[in-house]
Amino acid sequence: MKITALAGGVGGAKLAHGLAQILPPEDLTVIVNTGDDFEHLGLYICPDLDTVCYTLAGLANPETGWGRANETWNTISNVETLGGPSWFRLGDQDIATHLERTRRLKEGQSLSQITKDFCKAWGIQHTILPMSDAPVRTMVDTDEGELAFQEYFVHRRCEPKVKGFRFDGVKEAEPAIGVKEALKSADAIVICPSNPWVSVDPILQVVKEIKKPVVAVSPIIGGKTVKGPAVKMYSELGIDPSALAVANHYRTILTGFVLDNQDLNIQTEIDNLAIETLVTNTLMNHLADRARLAHDVLHFIGSL
Ligand code: GDP
């Protein structure tokens, strides 16, 4: 079965890693959000792309889910000593990724070519694609005005109240080379348990239409996120945060929806949206959970 997965960072990377443990390299493409990308300290940083790559390469920090394992922090500590901005934590090994990517982008190479070469260097066999080679920037409209995504997410720790989102550049942004082909050749599209507002919506807006069966895994379990601001965002936008809200979010494109055992009570409401459901354990606390959930998702897709 050929699968194309759409992913943000931490939650997306975990399921993508599970899928990569089951599917052979030619049967899995992961399309990653680049709306979170930004320039900082003169470096071009792609937080979600790097999280997915480090995770599939087995290089990710198991505690944080982002950044590299066995990381040191000498560079950013010295930036801090000099009075520079240190709110975005960049480890020494991670900085090498950003330095080399920035150098190659300045030479005029595309983000997708650079990502392809980095994946090869890291021993990743499955295909990982940025959603676009053109810049798309997620902007968060808040009660304190519009903020660039990392300003809102990391610097302001998601404290300002959210009023909406805008993806700057999305209209002009073409999908990166390989994205359209991956969507066309897939038997099904899996929306990983990523933040619907800021990780998945930018990808959906870039790719514009999907003509294949789509199955999404809820990032909200029992009305809570495992990590991150998705629940806070739904509440501040006046939507009751739940797996049902996520199913509604994607309802126009969904064939199937995977929700957690804890949300069994809302399965019927989702069935009533004419969406097939699978109720299972969707928590991926341990490495083995990733392949287990991926197996459940693939089995579910096979049954649709
Ligand atoms: P970010 O870009 O790093 O914030 O990462 P994502 O958007 O990919 O992931 C954030 C979402 O992943 C949050 O809404 C979490 O609730 C969800 N998430 C993280 N871990 C898990 C997990 O083990 N299971 C499920 N179902 N969702 C998860």
Side-chain angles (χ1 to χ4, degrees):
M1 191 189 308
K2 247 181 149 52
I3 296 293
T4 292
L6 313 185
V10 175
K14 287 199 270 182
L15 184 60
H17 190 211
L19 291 166
Q21 288 172 56
I22 298 174
L23 295 167
E26 62 276 16
D27 286 351
L28 176 67
T29 299
V30 188
I31 300 173
V32 184
N33 171 44
T34 57
D36 298 7
D37 293 7
F38 75 129
E39 279 187 54
H40 189 61
L41 295 166
L43 302 174
Y44 192 90
I45 302 172
C46 306
D48 287 355
L49 204 51
D50 291 341
T51 296
V52 172
C53 289
Y54 292 158
T55 303
L56 262 66
L59 297 170
N61 180 334
E63 271 114 57
T64 54
W66 56 268
R68 297 274 301 255
N70 308 314
E71 189 57 285
T72 54
W73 305 90
N74 296 311
T75 311
I76 200 72
S77 301
N78 282 280
V79 167
E80 194 167 17
T81 306
L82 296 172
S86 58
W87 55 268
F88 197 88
R89 303 303 290 169
L90 294 169
D92 296 326
Q93 301 176 88
D94 193 29
I95 286 174
T97 305
H98 312 314
L99 275 172
E100 177 57 6
R101 175 165 46 223
T102 307
R103 184 188 72 76
R104 290 182 58 168
L105 284 169
K106 283 200 171 138
E107 274 185 359
Q109 299 180 40
S110 69
L111 183 60
S112 47
Q113 182 59 50
I114 297 167
T115 305
K116 189 177 175 188
D117 294 344
F118 283 11
C119 284
K120 193 169 174 217
W122 287 322
I124 300 168
Q125 292 185 324
H126 298 80
T127 304
I128 301 175
L129 302 172
M131 65 185 191
S132 179
D133 282 323
V136 175
R137 295 292 165 265
T138 298
M139 305 297 295
V140 189
D141 186 20
T142 77
D143 57 350
E144 299 179 29
E146 192 173 64
L147 299 172
F149 182 74
Q150 298 299 346
E151 184 63 26
Y152 161 81
F153 191 68
V154 179
H155 203 186
R156 298 297 316 281
R157 299 193 185 94
C158 308
E159 278 162 13
K161 205 172 155 197
V162 162
K163 288 162 53 177
F165 305 94
R166 185 172 69 83
F167 308 115
D168 202 24
V170 81
K171 279 206 188 91
E172 307 80 45
E174 285 295 321
I177 296 164
V179 166
K180 279 185 185 160
E181 293 76 2
L183 293 169
K184 212 168 150 194
S185 65
D187 295 307
I189 312 302
V190 172
I191 300 182
C192 292
S194 290
N195 186 312
W197 296 105
V198 294
S199 292
V200 181
D201 279 356
I203 308 177
L204 294 177
Q205 290 202 20
V206 166
V207 302
K208 292 184 181 71
E209 63 171 351
I210 296 179
K211 291 181 177 156
K212 294 295 166 97
V214 178
V215 168
V217 179
S218 179
I220 297 185
I221 300 176
K224 297 197 179 92
T225 46
V226 180
K227 187 180 170 286
V231 158
K232 185 174 178 282
M233 289 171 173
Y234 274 106
S235 301
E236 289 171 357
L237 292 166
I239 303 165
D240 190 26
S242 65
L244 177 63
V246 177
N248 259 317
H249 197 106
Y250 301 131
R251 71 184 288 180
T252 56
I253 56 167
L254 280 190
T255 308
F257 189 70
V258 182
L259 63 161
D260 195 82
N261 290 326
Q262 289 183 41
D263 294 310
L264 183 63
N265 58 326
I266 49 177
Q267 183 183 23
T268 326
E269 283 178 84
I270 298 171
D271 285 336
N272 290 342
L273 299 172
I275 297 167
E276 301 282 332
T277 49
L278 169 71
V279 181
T280 186
N281 176 4
T282 67
L283 249 182
M284 296 173 281
N285 282 339
H286 306 287
L287 219 52
D289 297 330
R290 299 174 183 180
R292 176 193 39 76
L293 179 58
H295 178 271
D296 288 354
V297 171
L298 293 174
H299 193 261
F300 177 50
I301 291 170
S303 74
L304 291 173

